Coordinates of all heavy atoms in Angstrom, one line a residue:
E104 N 100.4 91.1 66.8 CA 100.2 91.1 65.4 C 100.8 89.9 64.7 O 101.0 89.9 63.4 CB 100.6 92.5 64.7 CG 99.9 93.7 65.3 CD 98.5 93.9 64.6 OE1 98.0 93.0 64.0 OE2 98.0 95.0 64.9
R105 N 101.6 89.0 65.6 CA 102.3 87.9 64.8 C 101.4 86.9 64.4 O 100.7 86.2 65.3 CB 103.3 87.3 65.9 CG 104.7 87.2 65.2 CD 105.7 86.8 66.3 NE 105.2 87.0 67.6 CZ 105.7 86.5 68.8 NH1 106.7 85.7 68.8 NH2 105.1 86.6 70.0
P106 N 101.3 86.5 63.1 CA 100.3 85.6 62.6 C 100.5 84.2 63.2 O 101.7 83.8 63.4 CB 100.6 85.5 61.2 CG 101.4 86.7 60.8 CD 102.1 87.1 62.0
L107 N 99.4 83.5 63.6 CA 99.6 82.1 64.1 C 100.1 81.1 63.0 O 99.9 81.4 61.8 CB 98.2 81.6 64.5 CG 97.6 82.4 65.7 CD1 96.1 81.9 65.8 CD2 98.5 82.1 67.0
Q108 N 100.8 80.1 63.4 CA 101.4 79.2 62.4 C 100.8 77.7 62.8 O 100.5 77.5 63.9 CB 102.9 79.1 62.5 CG 103.6 80.4 62.0 CD 105.0 80.3 62.1 OE1 105.6 79.3 62.2 NE2 105.7 81.5 62.3
E109 N 100.7 77.0 61.7 CA 100.2 75.6 61.8 C 101.3 75.0 62.9 O 102.4 75.2 62.9 CB 100.5 74.9 60.5 CG 100.2 73.4 60.4 CD 98.9 73.1 59.9 OE1 98.3 74.0 59.2 OE2 98.5 71.9 60.2
G110 N 100.7 74.3 63.9 CA 101.4 73.6 64.9 C 101.4 74.4 66.2 O 102.0 73.8 67.1
D111 N 101.1 75.6 66.1 CA 101.1 76.4 67.5 C 100.0 75.8 68.4 O 99.0 75.3 67.9 CB 100.7 77.9 67.2 CG 101.9 78.6 66.6 OD1 103.1 78.2 66.7 OD2 101.7 79.7 66.0
I112 N 100.1 76.1 69.7 CA 98.9 76.0 70.5 C 98.7 77.4 71.1 O 99.7 78.1 71.3 CB 99.1 74.9 71.7 CG1 100.3 75.1 72.5 CG2 99.0 73.5 71.0 CD1 100.4 74.2 73.7
I113 N 97.4 77.7 71.3 CA 96.9 79.2 71.6 C 96.0 79.0 72.9 O 94.9 78.4 72.8 CB 96.6 79.9 70.5 CG1 96.0 81.2 70.9 CG2 95.5 79.2 69.7 CD1 95.6 82.1 69.6
S114 N 96.4 79.6 73.8 CA 95.4 79.7 75.0 C 94.6 81.0 75.0 O 95.2 82.1 75.0 CB 96.2 79.5 76.3 OG 95.6 80.3 77.3
L115 N 93.3 81.0 75.0 CA 92.5 82.1 75.0 C 91.9 82.2 76.5 O 91.4 81.2 76.9 CB 91.3 81.9 74.1 CG 91.5 81.7 72.6 CD1 90.2 81.5 71.8 CD2 92.4 82.8 72.0
D116 N 92.1 83.4 77.0 CA 91.7 83.6 78.5 C 90.8 84.9 78.5 O 91.4 86.0 78.1 CB 93.0 83.8 79.3 CG 92.6 83.8 80.8 OD1 91.5 83.9 81.2 OD2 93.6 83.8 81.7
F117 N 89.6 84.7 78.7 CA 88.6 85.7 78.6 C 87.9 85.9 79.9 O 87.6 85.0 80.6 CB 87.6 85.5 77.6 CG 88.0 85.3 76.1 CD1 87.2 84.7 75.2 CD2 89.3 85.6 75.8 CE1 87.7 84.6 73.8 CE2 89.7 85.6 74.5 CZ 88.9 84.9 73.4
G118 N 87.6 87.2 80.3 CA 86.9 87.5 81.4 C 85.8 88.6 81.0 O 86.0 89.4 80.3
V119 N 84.7 88.5 81.9 CA 83.6 89.3 81.5 C 83.1 89.9 83.0 O 82.9 89.0 83.9 CB 82.4 88.7 80.8 CG1 81.1 89.4 80.8 CG2 82.8 88.5 79.4
V120 N 82.7 91.1 83.0 CA 81.8 91.6 84.1 C 80.5 92.2 83.5 O 80.5 92.8 82.5 CB 82.5 92.8 84.9 CG1 83.0 93.9 84.1 CG2 81.7 93.2 86.1
K121 N 79.4 91.7 84.2 CA 78.1 92.1 83.8 C 77.2 92.3 85.0 O 77.3 91.5 85.9 CB 77.5 91.2 82.8 CG 76.0 91.7 82.3 CD 75.5 90.8 81.2 CE 74.1 91.2 80.8 NZ 73.5 90.4 79.7
D122 N 76.5 93.5 85.1 CA 75.7 93.7 86.3 C 76.6 93.7 87.6 O 76.1 93.1 88.7 CB 74.5 92.9 86.4 CG 73.5 93.0 85.2 OD1 73.4 94.4 84.7 OD2 72.8 92.1 84.9
G123 N 77.9 93.9 87.4 CA 78.7 93.9 88.6 C 79.3 92.6 89.0 O 80.1 92.4 90.0
W124 N 79.0 91.5 88.2 CA 79.5 90.2 88.5 C 80.4 89.6 87.5 O 80.2 89.8 86.3 CB 78.3 89.2 88.8 CG 77.6 89.6 90.0 CD1 76.4 90.5 90.0 CD2 77.8 89.3 91.4 NE1 76.0 90.6 91.2 CE2 76.8 89.9 92.2 CE3 78.7 88.5 92.0 CZ2 76.8 89.8 93.6 CZ3 78.6 88.3 93.3 CH2 77.7 89.0 94.1
H125 N 81.5 89.1 88.1 CA 82.7 88.6 87.1 C 82.6 87.2 86.9 O 82.1 86.2 87.7 CB 83.9 88.9 87.8 CG 84.3 90.4 87.9 ND1 85.1 91.1 87.0 CD2 83.8 91.3 88.7 CE1 85.1 92.3 87.4 NE2 84.3 92.5 88.4
A126 N 83.2 86.8 85.7 CA 83.4 85.4 85.3 C 84.7 85.3 84.5 O 85.1 86.3 83.8 CB 82.2 84.8 84.5
D127 N 85.4 84.2 84.5 CA 86.8 84.2 83.9 C 87.0 82.6 83.5 O 86.8 81.7 84.2 CB 87.6 84.5 84.9 CG 89.1 84.5 84.7 OD1 89.5 84.3 83.6 OD2 89.9 84.5 85.7
S128 N 87.3 82.4 82.3 CA 87.6 81.1 81.7 C 88.7 81.1 80.7 O 88.8 82.1 79.8 CB 86.3 80.4 81.1 OG 86.6 79.1 80.8
A129 N 89.5 80.1 80.6 CA 90.6 79.9 79.5 C 90.6 78.6 78.9 O 90.1 77.6 79.6 CB 91.9 80.3 80.3
W130 N 90.9 78.5 77.8 CA 91.0 77.2 77.1 C 92.1 77.1 76.0 O 92.4 78.2 75.5 CB 89.6 76.9 76.2 CG 89.2 75.5 76.1 CD1 89.3 74.9 75.0 CD2 88.5 74.8 77.1 NE1 88.7 73.6 75.3 CE2 88.2 73.5 76.5 CE3 88.2 74.9 78.4 CZ2 87.7 72.5 77.2 CZ3 87.6 74.0 79.1 CH2 87.3 72.7 78.5
T131 N 92.8 76.1 75.8 CA 94.0 76.0 74.9 C 93.5 75.2 73.7 O 92.8 74.2 73.9 CB 95.2 75.4 75.5 OG1 95.6 76.1 76.8 CG2 96.3 75.4 74.6
F132 N 93.8 75.8 72.6 CA 93.4 75.3 71.3 C 94.5 74.9 70.3 O 95.6 75.6 70.5 CB 92.5 76.2 70.5 CG 91.2 76.6 71.3 CD1 91.2 77.7 72.1 CD2 90.1 75.8 71.2 CE1 89.9 78.0 72.8 CE2 89.0 76.1 71.9 CZ 88.9 77.2 72.7
A133 N 94.5 74.1 69.3 CA 95.4 73.8 68.4 C 95.2 74.7 67.2 O 94.2 75.0 66.8 CB 95.3 72.3 68.0
V134 N 96.4 75.0 66.5 CA 96.4 75.7 65.3 C 96.7 74.7 64.2 O 97.8 74.3 64.1 CB 97.3 77.0 65.3 CG1 97.3 77.6 64.0 CG2 97.1 77.9 66.4
G135 N 95.8 74.2 63.5 CA 95.9 73.1 62.5 C 96.4 71.9 63.2 O 95.9 71.5 64.2
E136 N 97.3 71.2 62.5 CA 97.9 69.8 63.0 C 99.0 70.3 64.0 O 99.9 71.1 63.7 CB 98.5 69.2 61.9 CG 97.5 68.2 61.2 CD 96.7 67.1 62.3 OE1 97.5 66.5 63.0 OE2 95.5 67.3 62.2
I137 N 98.9 69.7 65.2 CA 100.0 70.0 66.2 C 100.7 68.5 66.7 O 100.2 67.5 66.3 CB 99.5 70.6 67.5 CG1 98.4 69.7 68.1 CG2 98.9 71.9 67.1 CD1 97.9 70.1 69.5
S138 N 101.8 68.8 67.2 CA 102.6 67.6 67.6 C 102.0 66.7 68.6 O 101.0 67.2 69.3 CB 104.0 68.1 68.1 OG 103.7 68.6 69.4
A139 N 102.2 65.3 68.6 CA 101.7 64.5 69.6 C 102.0 65.0 71.1 O 101.1 64.9 71.9 CB 102.3 63.1 69.5
E140 N 103.2 65.5 71.3 CA 103.5 66.1 72.7 C 102.5 67.2 73.1 O 102.0 67.3 74.2 CB 105.0 66.7 72.6 CG 105.4 67.2 74.0 CD 105.9 66.2 74.9 OE1 105.2 65.5 75.5 OE2 107.1 66.3 75.2
K141 N 102.3 68.2 72.1 CA 101.4 69.2 72.4 C 99.9 68.8 72.6 O 99.2 69.2 73.5 CB 101.4 70.3 71.2 CG 102.6 71.2 71.4 CD 102.7 72.2 70.3 CE 103.7 73.3 70.4 NZ 103.9 74.1 69.2
K142 N 99.5 67.7 71.9 CA 98.2 67.2 72.1 C 98.0 66.7 73.5 O 97.1 66.7 74.2 CB 98.0 66.2 71.0 CG 97.0 66.3 70.1 CD 96.7 65.2 69.1 CE 96.8 65.8 67.6 NZ 97.0 64.8 66.6
R143 N 99.1 65.9 73.9 CA 99.1 65.2 75.1 C 99.1 66.3 76.2 O 98.4 66.2 77.3 CB 100.3 64.3 75.3 CG 100.4 63.4 76.6 CD 101.3 62.3 76.5 NE 101.5 61.7 77.7 CZ 102.4 62.2 78.6 NH1 103.3 63.1 78.2 NH2 102.5 61.7 79.9
L144 N 100.0 67.3 76.1 CA 99.9 68.4 77.1 C 98.5 69.1 77.3 O 98.1 69.3 78.4 CB 101.0 69.5 76.6 CG 100.9 70.8 77.4 CD1 101.4 70.6 78.7 CD2 101.7 71.9 76.6
M145 N 97.8 69.4 76.2 CA 96.5 70.0 76.2 C 95.6 68.8 77.0 O 94.7 69.3 77.7 CB 95.9 70.2 74.8 CG 96.7 71.5 74.3 SD 96.3 71.8 72.5 CE 94.5 71.7 72.5
N146 N 95.6 67.6 76.6 CA 94.8 66.7 77.2 C 95.0 66.5 78.7 O 94.0 66.4 79.6 CB 94.9 65.2 76.6 CG 94.2 65.2 75.1 OD1 93.4 66.0 74.9 ND2 94.7 64.3 74.3
V147 N 96.2 66.5 79.0 CA 96.6 66.3 80.5 C 96.1 67.5 81.4 O 95.5 67.5 82.4 CB 98.1 66.1 80.8 CG1 98.6 66.3 82.1 CG2 98.5 64.8 80.2
T148 N 96.3 68.7 80.7 CA 95.9 70.0 81.4 C 94.4 70.2 81.6 O 93.9 70.4 82.7 CB 96.4 71.2 80.7 OG1 97.8 71.1 80.4 CG2 96.2 72.5 81.6
R149 N 93.6 69.7 80.5 CA 92.1 69.7 80.6 C 91.7 68.7 81.6 O 90.8 68.9 82.5 CB 91.5 69.5 79.3 CG 90.0 69.6 79.2 CD 89.4 69.2 78.0 NE 90.1 69.4 76.6 CZ 90.8 68.5 76.1 NH1 90.9 67.3 76.5 NH2 91.3 68.8 74.9
E150 N 92.3 67.6 81.5 CA 91.8 66.5 82.5 C 92.1 66.9 84.0 O 91.4 66.7 85.0 CB 92.4 65.1 82.2 CG 92.2 63.9 83.1 CD 90.6 63.7 83.2 OE1 89.9 64.0 82.3 OE2 90.2 63.1 84.3
A151 N 93.4 67.5 84.2 CA 93.7 68.0 85.5 C 92.6 69.1 86.0 O 92.2 69.0 87.2 CB 95.1 68.7 85.5
L152 N 92.1 69.8 85.2 CA 91.1 70.9 85.6 C 89.7 70.1 86.0 O 89.3 70.4 87.1 CB 90.7 71.8 84.3 CG 89.5 72.7 84.6 CD1 89.6 73.7 85.7 CD2 89.1 73.5 83.2
F153 N 89.4 69.1 85.2 CA 88.2 68.4 85.6 C 88.4 67.5 86.9 O 87.4 67.3 87.7 CB 87.6 67.7 84.4 CG 86.9 68.6 83.5 CD1 87.6 69.1 82.3 CD2 85.7 69.0 83.8 CE1 87.0 70.0 81.5 CE2 85.1 70.1 82.9 CZ 85.8 70.4 81.8
Q154 N 89.6 66.9 87.1 CA 89.9 66.3 88.3 C 89.7 67.1 89.5 O 89.2 66.8 90.6 CB 91.3 65.7 88.3 CG 91.5 64.7 87.2 CD 91.6 63.3 87.6 OE1 92.0 62.9 88.7 NE2 91.4 62.3 86.7
A155 N 90.3 68.3 89.3 CA 90.2 69.4 90.4 C 88.8 69.9 90.7 O 88.3 70.1 91.7 CB 91.1 70.6 90.0
I156 N 88.0 70.1 89.5 CA 86.6 70.5 89.7 C 85.9 69.6 90.5 O 85.0 69.8 91.4 CB 85.9 70.8 88.5 CG1 86.5 71.9 87.7 CG2 84.5 70.9 88.6 CD1 86.0 72.2 86.2
A157 N 86.1 68.2 90.4 CA 85.3 67.2 91.1 C 85.6 67.4 92.6 O 84.8 66.9 93.4 CB 85.9 65.8 90.7
K158 N 86.7 67.9 93.0 CA 87.0 68.1 94.5 C 86.4 69.3 94.9 O 86.5 69.7 96.1 CB 88.5 68.2 94.6 CG 89.3 67.2 94.2 CD 89.3 66.0 95.1 CE 90.0 64.8 94.6 NZ 89.7 63.5 95.3
A159 N 85.9 70.2 94.2 CA 85.3 71.5 94.5 C 84.0 71.4 95.2 O 82.9 71.7 94.6 CB 85.3 72.6 93.4
K160 N 84.0 70.8 96.4 CA 82.6 70.7 97.1 C 82.7 71.2 98.5 O 83.9 71.2 99.0 CB 82.1 69.3 97.0 CG 83.2 68.2 97.2 CD 82.7 67.0 96.8 CE 83.6 66.0 97.4 NZ 83.7 64.7 96.8
A161 N 81.6 71.4 99.1 CA 81.6 71.9 100.6 C 82.3 70.9 101.5 O 82.1 69.8 101.2 CB 80.1 72.1 100.9
G162 N 83.2 71.5 102.3 CA 84.0 70.6 103.2 C 85.4 70.2 102.7 O 86.3 69.8 103.4
S163 N 85.5 70.3 101.4 CA 86.8 70.2 100.7 C 87.7 71.5 101.1 O 87.2 72.5 101.5 CB 86.9 70.1 99.3 OG 86.2 68.9 98.8
T164 N 89.0 71.4 100.8 CA 89.8 72.5 101.0 C 90.5 73.0 99.7 O 90.5 72.2 98.7 CB 91.0 72.3 102.0 OG1 91.9 71.3 101.4 CG2 90.4 71.8 103.2
T165 N 91.0 74.2 99.6 CA 91.7 74.6 98.4 C 93.0 73.7 98.2 O 93.3 73.5 97.0 CB 92.1 76.1 98.6 OG1 92.9 76.3 99.8 CG2 90.9 77.1 98.6
G166 N 93.5 73.2 99.3 CA 94.6 72.2 99.1 C 94.3 71.0 98.4 O 95.1 70.4 97.7
D167 N 93.0 70.6 98.7 CA 92.6 69.4 98.0 C 92.6 69.5 96.4 O 92.8 68.6 95.6 CB 91.1 69.0 98.4 CG 91.0 68.5 99.9 OD1 92.1 68.2 100.5 OD2 89.8 68.6 100.5
I168 N 92.2 70.8 96.1 CA 92.1 71.1 94.6 C 93.5 71.2 94.0 O 93.8 70.5 93.0 CB 91.5 72.5 94.4 CG1 89.9 72.3 94.8 CG2 91.7 73.1 93.0 CD1 89.1 73.5 94.8
G169 N 94.4 71.9 94.7 CA 95.8 71.9 94.3 C 96.5 70.6 94.3 O 97.2 70.2 93.2
H170 N 96.2 69.9 95.2 CA 96.8 68.5 95.2 C 96.3 67.6 94.0 O 97.0 66.8 93.4 CB 96.4 67.7 96.6 CG 97.0 66.3 96.7 ND1 98.3 66.2 96.9 CD2 96.4 65.2 96.6 CE1 98.5 64.8 97.0 NE2 97.4 64.1 96.8
A171 N 95.0 67.7 93.7 CA 94.4 66.8 92.6 C 95.1 67.3 91.4 O 95.4 66.4 90.5 CB 92.9 67.1 92.6
V172 N 95.4 68.5 91.1 CA 96.0 68.9 89.9 C 97.4 68.5 89.9 O 98.0 67.8 88.9 CB 96.0 70.6 89.7 CG1 96.9 71.0 88.5 CG2 94.6 71.1 89.6
Q173 N 98.1 68.7 90.9 CA 99.5 68.4 90.9 C 99.8 66.9 90.8 O 100.6 66.4 90.0 CB 100.3 68.7 92.3 CG 101.7 68.5 92.3 CD 102.4 69.0 93.6 OE1 101.6 69.4 94.6 NE2 103.7 69.1 93.5
K174 N 98.9 65.9 91.4 CA 99.1 64.6 91.4 C 98.9 64.2 89.9 O 99.7 63.3 89.5 CB 98.1 63.9 92.3 CG 98.3 62.5 92.6 CD 97.5 61.9 93.6 CE 96.0 61.8 93.0 NZ 95.1 61.1 94.0
Y175 N 97.7 64.6 89.3 CA 97.6 64.2 88.0 C 98.5 64.6 87.0 O 99.1 63.8 86.1 CB 96.1 64.7 87.6 CG 95.7 64.1 86.1 CD1 95.4 62.8 86.1 CD2 95.9 64.8 85.0 CE1 95.1 62.2 84.9 CE2 95.5 64.3 83.8 CZ 95.2 63.0 83.7 OH 94.9 62.4 82.5

Side-chain angles (χ1 to χ4, degrees):
E104 302 275 9
R105 228 173 344 166
L107 296 172
Q108 291 180 24
E109 176 100 16
D111 287 344
I112 53 173
I113 173 177
S114 147
L115 304 179
D116 189 349
F117 298 164
V119 164
V120 57
K121 184 173 178 179
D122 295 330
W124 293 92
H125 291 259
D127 178 11
S128 179
W130 211 257
T131 302
F132 299 93
V134 182
E136 272 302 307
I137 60 171
S138 69
E140 177 88 289
K141 281 177 168 170
K142 246 178 232 170
R143 188 166 165 270
L144 170 69
M145 286 171 54
N146 287 336
V147 167
T148 310
R149 189 192 317 101
E150 179 58 24
L152 170 60
F153 285 99
Q154 300 248 341
I156 290 173
K158 302 281 178 196
K160 42 190 195 208
S163 296
T164 66
T165 52
D167 295 342
I168 288 172
H170 181 71
V172 170
Q173 183 176 19
K174 194 173 74 177
Y175 185 75

